């Protein structure tokens, strides 16, 4: 039987591991890392997932669905549904303009529950950035939330969920005033 002290030490270690991964993942956006590098470095092998929550609408094709796995350049049924495709659809629609305060600068700014998600842990982080419509050039500043979960034993991310402001994105893409 594991002693309470050993279990607590293990949980503390896991918390530090997940916090460091989340911090490193968010820093990849500030450093301008490519989507492929970000996925390869920070996500589980096999079937990582990305979900940007919001209504499924044509103007914002990355919203309201879960992207699974990596592009293999293979089967027609997987085209448009991989995590790589999420980044492609997003980059064809919006530009992300992070700034020095987009994410917490210290790992302590990340909320970690190492025992949740069936013991795999979750990390939540709040960010702010300016986004811009590729089509219209209209931009807006928004606050968004990332929830990282499904971590493997090495601390790689299994599922990245995003909650943002789909109304502002839709208004910008449509060229309407916010």
């Amino acid at each position: 039987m594991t002693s309470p002290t050993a279990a607590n030490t293990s949980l503390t270690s896991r918390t530090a591991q997940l916090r460091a991964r989340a911090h490193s993942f968010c820093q990849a956006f500030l450093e301008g890392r490519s989507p492929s590098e970000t996925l390869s470095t920070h996500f589980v092998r096999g079937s990582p997932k990305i979900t940007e929550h919001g209504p499924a609408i044509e103007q914002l094709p990355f919203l309201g669905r879960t992207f699974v796995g990596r592009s293999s350049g293979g089967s027609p049924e997987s085209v448009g549904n991989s995590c790589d495709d999420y980044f492609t659809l997003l980059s064809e629609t919006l530009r992300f303009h992070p700034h020095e305060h987009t994410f917490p600068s210290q790992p302590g700014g990340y909320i970690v529950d190492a025992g949740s998600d069936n013991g795999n842990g979750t990390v939540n982080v709040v960010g702010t950035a300016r986004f811009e419509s590729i089509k219209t050039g209209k931009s807006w500043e928004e606050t968004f939330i990332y929830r990282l979960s499904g971590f493997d034993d090495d601390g790689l991310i299994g599922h990245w969920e995003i909650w943002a402001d789909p109304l502002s994105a839709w208004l910008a893409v449509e060229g309407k005033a916010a």
Side-chain angles (χ1 to χ4, degrees), residues 39-165:
L39 288 166
S40 296
T41 302
H42 298 288
F43 283 80
V44 297
R45 310 303 174 248
S47 294
K49 297 178 192 173
I50 300 173
T51 305
E52 184 152 351
H53 296 277
I57 56 176
E58 181 181 340
Q59 298 90 333
L60 303 169
F62 52 87
L63 279 181
R65 60 194 259 209
T66 297
F67 296 82
V68 180
R70 297 293 310 273
S71 288
S72 60
S75 65
E77 62 272 2
S78 69
V79 172
N81 295 316
S82 74
C83 292
D84 300 85
D85 295 322
Y86 167 80
F87 282 106
T88 299
L89 291 169
L90 181 65
S91 69
E92 289 173 348
T93 310
L94 302 176
R95 278 192 195 95
F96 177 59
H97 299 283
H99 47 73
E100 107 179 61
H101 301 294
T102 291
F103 298 108
S105 60
Q106 299 298 315
Y110 296 76
I111 303 162
V112 181
D113 183 348
S116 66
D117 192 29
N118 296 317
N120 294 317
T122 59
V123 180
N124 295 289
V125 62
V126 176
T128 60
R130 188 170 65 84
F131 292 83
E132 177 185 358
S133 166
I134 300 290
K135 178 180 167 186
T136 66
K138 293 205 176 277
S139 66
W140 71 101
E141 184 84 16
E142 81 171 59
T143 299
F144 52 91
I145 297 170
Y146 288 173
R147 180 181 187 264
L148 308 172
S149 62
F151 291 92
D152 70 5
D153 291 343
D154 296 322
L156 294 174
I157 301 163
H159 194 182
W160 172 31
E161 295 178 83
I162 304 109
W163 282 269
D165 181 359

